[in-house]
Amino acid sequence: MKHRPLRTSLVVVTTAALLGSGTAVALASPGATVEATAKATTSPAATVDQPVERLIVGYKSRAAEAKSDSAATEDAKAKGKKTGEDLDFARRLGTGAALVDLGGELGKQDAVDVIAAFRADPDVAFVVPDKRMYATAVTPNDTEYNRQWDLFEATAGMNVPGAWDKATGSGVKVAVIDTGYVPHSDLAANVIAGYDFISDPFMANDGGGRDSNASDPGDWMLQGECGNNYPEFDTTSSWHGTHVAGTIAATSGNSKGIAGIAYHATVQPVRVLGKCGGTTADIMDAITWASGGYVPGVPANPNAADVINLSLGGSGACDSGTQNAINGAVNRGTTVVVAAGNSNTNAANFNPANCSNVITVAASDREGNRASYSNYGTVIDITAPGGETAVSSAHGIWSTLNSGTRGPVSENYEAYQGTSMAAPHIAGLAALMYQTNPSITPAQVESTIKTKARPLPGYCSGGCGAGLADAAATLGGSTQPPTGSVFTNSTNVNIPDNATVSSSIAVTGISGNAPAALKVGVDIKHTYRGDLKIELIAPNGAAAVLKNTSTGDSADNVFTTYTVDASGVVASGTWRLRVTDAYTGDTGYIDSWSLTF
């Protein structure tokens, strides 16, 4: 009889295992098992590893150069004459050391020669290059960060952590034109005053029309109250704008909640959506005001946006009024990011997704496929994670929200899916770009994001733009390795108690051997994953144990990516995922799995 520990803190236990880094294993001969092991890497210490413009020279206290700037100047010129370079004293540092200008950028060998000349001087205590340093980001300590697969997962995340060494959005302003903002402690520090542009008091649902209060009172609706039997049933408040804002700029490093993509940027809530939606006229005015333009009867915006996020839309062609408002914003230097729409059809039929001068964003799922609901087509510029909660809430986009069904009650976090969730990923990325280059133009933002995108890891029918956005590559940071061919089996296979089942993938068109870093994505739904042993069986029968049984692992489900050294195995052929349920009492199924060569 199996003794099981009580299942406490299900969410914490599950996410810690599901969202950990992939594990490296190797394929062994048939019947053998190789357990998962992790690899650590270290970097060698740097010397003169880059061109140098200046040196920091510390003189010994007895030396004249330690006290006299003129003596330090003479010494610099003498060393320059000796090495054939044009050296000069620049200034004295607070420590007393001298900053020496090399007269331009020297290559590594020339810099080594100059350094050697100083080191040979008995009056010199030390000499080091004046090297460039960069902000170094660490893994956020936010308690819900491990749910944010859309930021960091290798398969279909947007590679955001690799961009944080370059920028975090500091000094950048993002306007979220949406339902407004409901207070949330994980976002409040980055929210600045906005405006409520809803002119119809009924739609505003806050007792009045336009005003300076962008608070979200809720957008709940009763059946049929918007006309034409819309909505078809009662709905609860979405707190949509707060969810969008959290993806862009939720506070990071505060030991709670989530991390926004541009977690040092400011968010300005601009309210246009309320009960029964919003109007074109209000949205036009909001775009104009948010970007620093003039709107009659409304005070000027003291915080004109660098980026506008529009996670909204309707059917039809882009009207001239909306296009003019967008053109005005772009001419003022504001990048406008727009959701493609959630109708699984051509985005060319949806406004403002089909407007010019915007970045139109489609949504991808956790496996890197175009999300089942996402619009597509030639007007799509880029794809970003939008999630699919239809599969599981773990596959959605986790962000800031409120528990109230009508008015605000208490803050919380929830998973949403949609191109509304994909667009703020790009708005957040644009904010990072504005920090690194405040003079960047909207056209440059769009072209760079598209140029640096990586191929969609999964499939896309109908057109997904330039591919999946890659934040690190866009900012010139470390990038994920290019994604090769992906083979997927999404046919469910039931896993009964005390049974062994398998699912097959036929790999074709890959010449030679499989790579040393074959990626095996596994998505298994099971009510007690400690029961499971998971193996990859190569076409030649060689086996690798991806996961062994563990009676102490009482959490649900397996959703992770393993790395397998398959370099000695011919790639083409039939690969199998073999799953053994070793105990009674819990069942499940193989939802899907994939191989990335």
Side-chain angles (χ1 to χ4, degrees), residues 158-238:
M158 211 175 76
N159 201 11
V160 174
W164 283 334
D165 282 350
K166 301 289 185 181
T168 56
S170 181
V172 181
K173 299 177 286 293
V174 183
V176 175
I177 299 179
D178 213 291
T179 64
Y181 167 68
V182 61
H184 199 293
S185 62
D186 203 15
L187 186 55
N190 290 335
V191 175
I192 59 176
Y195 205 83
D196 181 355
F197 276 90
I198 301 178
S199 51
D200 184 327
F202 169 76
M203 298 177 72
N205 200 32
D206 61 0
R210 289 186 172 183
D211 55 49
S212 60
N213 184 359
S215 297
D216 186 352
D219 57 356
W220 55 274
M221 293 176 283
L222 299 177
Q223 180 181 5
E225 74 172 322
C226 299
N228 297 321
N229 196 36
Y230 179 79
E232 296 181 5
F233 47 84
D234 293 354
T235 66
T236 59
S237 292
S238 67

Side-chain angles (χ1 to χ4, degrees), residues 47-100:
T47 54
V48 181
D49 56 0
Q50 57 184 283
V52 180
E53 297 179 19
R54 290 167 298 276
L55 296 177
I56 300 169
V57 181
Y59 290 96
K60 294 177 181 178
S61 59
R62 69 173 183 272
E65 294 88 349
K67 306 176 182 66
S68 167
D69 290 353
S70 60
T73 299
E74 291 176 8
D75 188 52
K77 292 185 180 299
K79 298 293 195 300
K81 185 176 181 179
K82 180 178 180 180
T83 57
E85 305 293 345
D86 185 16
L87 274 57
D88 198 5
F89 171 80
R91 61 185 169 89
R92 187 75 59 179
L93 302 185
T95 61
L99 185 65
V100 175

Side-chain angles (χ1 to χ4, degrees), residues 82-171:
K82 180 178 180 180
T83 57
E85 305 293 345
D86 185 16
L87 274 57
D88 198 5
F89 171 80
R91 61 185 169 89
R92 187 75 59 179
L93 302 185
T95 61
L99 185 65
V100 175
D101 194 310
L102 303 184
E105 190 174 82
L106 297 188
K108 297 177 185 178
Q109 187 55 54
D110 290 337
V112 167
D113 292 342
V114 173
I115 290 172
F118 277 101
R119 285 180 176 166
D121 187 338
D123 286 336
V124 172
F126 67 86
V127 56
V128 294
D130 181 24
K131 298 177 66 173
R132 291 180 182 268
M133 299 291 179
Y134 301 92
T136 301
V138 298
T139 301
N141 63 9
D142 306 80
T143 54
E144 306 285 319
Y145 177 70
N146 58 2
R147 292 177 177 264
Q148 294 183 272
W149 61 267
D150 46 307
L151 303 193
F152 60 78
E153 267 191 1
T155 300
M158 211 175 76
N159 201 11
V160 174
W164 283 334
D165 282 350
K166 301 289 185 181
T168 56
S170 181

